[in-house]
Short mmCIF file of all heavy atoms in Angstrom, two decimals:
data_model
loop_
_atom_site.label_atom_id
_atom_site.label_comp_id
_atom_site.label_asym_id
_atom_site.label_seq_id
_atom_site.Cartn_x
_atom_site.Cartn_y
_atom_site.Cartn_z
N GLY B 200 49.21 39.28 -45.00
CA GLY B 200 47.76 39.33 -45.19
C GLY B 200 47.08 39.98 -44.00
O GLY B 200 46.23 40.86 -44.14
N MET B 201 47.52 39.59 -42.81
CA MET B 201 46.89 40.13 -41.60
C MET B 201 47.19 41.60 -41.43
O MET B 201 46.33 42.38 -41.03
CB MET B 201 47.41 39.37 -40.38
CG MET B 201 46.78 38.02 -40.25
SD MET B 201 47.19 37.30 -38.68
CE MET B 201 48.72 36.52 -39.05
N ILE B 202 48.42 41.98 -41.77
CA ILE B 202 48.78 43.39 -41.64
C ILE B 202 47.91 44.22 -42.57
O ILE B 202 47.43 45.30 -42.24
CB ILE B 202 50.27 43.61 -41.94
CG1 ILE B 202 51.13 42.91 -40.88
CG2 ILE B 202 50.61 45.09 -41.98
CD1 ILE B 202 52.60 42.92 -41.19
N LYS B 203 47.69 43.68 -43.76
CA LYS B 203 46.88 44.44 -44.72
C LYS B 203 45.48 44.66 -44.21
O LYS B 203 44.90 45.73 -44.40
CB LYS B 203 46.79 43.64 -46.03
CG LYS B 203 47.94 43.87 -46.99
CD LYS B 203 47.65 43.01 -48.20
CE LYS B 203 48.48 43.39 -49.39
NZ LYS B 203 48.38 42.36 -50.42
N GLU B 204 44.93 43.63 -43.53
CA GLU B 204 43.54 43.75 -43.10
C GLU B 204 43.39 44.58 -41.83
O GLU B 204 42.29 44.96 -41.46
CB GLU B 204 42.98 42.35 -42.79
CG GLU B 204 42.67 41.56 -44.02
CD GLU B 204 42.32 40.12 -43.66
OE1 GLU B 204 42.10 39.85 -42.46
OE2 GLU B 204 42.28 39.28 -44.56
N CYS B 205 44.49 44.84 -41.19
CA CYS B 205 44.43 45.57 -39.92
C CYS B 205 43.89 46.98 -40.09
O CYS B 205 44.11 47.63 -41.08
CB CYS B 205 45.86 45.69 -39.38
SG CYS B 205 46.09 44.70 -37.95
N ASP B 206 43.29 47.44 -39.04
CA ASP B 206 42.81 48.81 -39.04
C ASP B 206 43.95 49.76 -38.71
O ASP B 206 44.72 49.54 -37.79
CB ASP B 206 41.70 48.92 -37.97
CG ASP B 206 41.21 50.33 -37.79
OD1 ASP B 206 41.45 51.18 -38.68
OD2 ASP B 206 40.59 50.59 -36.76
N GLU B 207 44.06 50.80 -39.48
CA GLU B 207 45.20 51.71 -39.38
C GLU B 207 45.16 52.61 -38.15
O GLU B 207 46.18 53.03 -37.65
CB GLU B 207 45.22 52.59 -40.65
CG GLU B 207 46.43 53.51 -40.77
CD GLU B 207 47.67 52.80 -41.23
OE1 GLU B 207 47.58 52.05 -42.22
OE2 GLU B 207 48.73 52.97 -40.61
N SER B 208 43.94 52.87 -37.65
CA SER B 208 43.75 54.00 -36.73
C SER B 208 44.66 54.01 -35.50
O SER B 208 45.27 55.01 -35.18
CB SER B 208 42.30 54.07 -36.26
OG SER B 208 41.95 52.84 -35.68
N GLY B 209 44.75 52.89 -34.81
CA GLY B 209 45.51 52.96 -33.57
C GLY B 209 47.01 52.78 -33.76
O GLY B 209 47.81 53.49 -33.17
N PHE B 210 47.36 51.85 -34.57
CA PHE B 210 48.75 51.43 -34.63
C PHE B 210 49.17 51.41 -36.09
O PHE B 210 48.62 50.67 -36.87
CB PHE B 210 48.85 50.03 -34.02
CG PHE B 210 50.24 49.63 -33.66
CD1 PHE B 210 50.83 50.12 -32.51
CD2 PHE B 210 50.95 48.77 -34.46
CE1 PHE B 210 52.11 49.74 -32.16
CE2 PHE B 210 52.23 48.39 -34.12
CZ PHE B 210 52.81 48.88 -32.97
N PRO B 211 50.14 52.23 -36.45
CA PRO B 211 50.43 52.36 -37.88
C PRO B 211 51.01 51.10 -38.50
O PRO B 211 51.78 50.38 -37.86
CB PRO B 211 51.46 53.49 -37.91
CG PRO B 211 51.95 53.65 -36.54
CD PRO B 211 50.99 53.03 -35.59
#
Side-chain angles (χ1 to χ4, degrees):
Chain B
M201 284 190 273
I202 295 173
K203 274 180 164 168
E204 285 171 12
C205 250
D206 175 18
E207 186 78 48
S208 56
F210 196 78

